[in-house]
Amino acid sequence: MALAVHAEIEGEVPVGAVIVRDDCVIAEGWNQPVMNHDPTAHAEVMALRAAGLAEKNYRLLDTTLYVTLEPCVMCAGAITHARVGRVVYGATDPRVGAAGSAFSLLGSDQFNHLVQVKGGVLESECSGLLRRFFKARR
């Protein structure tokens, strides 16, 4: 949640992510598409990039990605390709969520890697942060 607040302070949609292995944070990320002029700079992708560098490996087996908002299709693809073991997210995204809300890509048996998914963790807090952000923008 602190990373989501950091993104908001920078003028980004407040989404934050961390990647954990063996109860240790190995990488973190927050939304940065506006400041980086990069449509792929979602919190999850930024965390995946940092984890790959930290681990010196693009495969992130036995890791858990925690994120404040349900991953989109792009992020779900990157998570699956990185072989992240589990995703835990806060707020659901009924418009573009790819963990079961709008699409069911994470956890799908159609891929050669199955990602375990748990949603709704700290959902009211994560949703509230997003609602406040968008209300202030309108």
Side-chain angles (χ1 to χ4, degrees):
M1 296 258 331
L3 294 168
V5 171
H6 180 76
E8 182 177 21
I9 290 168
E10 292 184 350
E12 301 282 356
V13 174
V15 179
V18 295
I19 298 178
V20 173
R21 176 182 283 126
D22 299 326
D23 297 323
C24 293
V25 174
I26 61 169
E28 58 185 36
W30 57 90
N31 267 9
Q32 301 175 46
V34 175
M35 65 186 288
N36 287 344
H37 312 290
D38 179 356
T40 69
H42 288 192
E44 301 94 322
V45 171
M46 301 308 289
L48 290 168
R49 290 173 182 167
L53 290 171
E55 298 288 299
K56 296 183 178 29
N57 194 340
Y58 71 105
R59 297 288 193 223
L60 301 171
L61 298 168
D62 303 317
T63 60
T64 299
L65 186 148
Y66 295 89
V67 61
T68 57
L69 179 64
E70 180 180 3
C72 70
V73 171
M74 175 187 69
C75 292
I79 289 164
T80 301
H81 284 289
R83 306 294 194 268
V84 170
R86 184 169 75 127
V87 170
V88 177
Y89 67 88
T92 58
D93 190 342
R95 289 186 322 107
V96 297
S101 293
F103 306 97
S104 295
L105 296 180
L106 286 179
S108 171
D109 62 3
Q110 297 296 307
F111 299 108
N112 61 348
H113 175 71
L114 183 64
V115 179
Q116 296 176 353
V117 179
K118 179 172 177 62
V121 176
L122 298 174
E123 183 168 17
S124 62
E125 294 90 334
C126 294
S127 295
L129 186 62
L130 288 159
R131 271 194 306 278
R132 285 188 300 277
F133 173 81
F134 285 113
K135 185 176 181 182
R137 304 282 267 201
R138 292 184 180 121

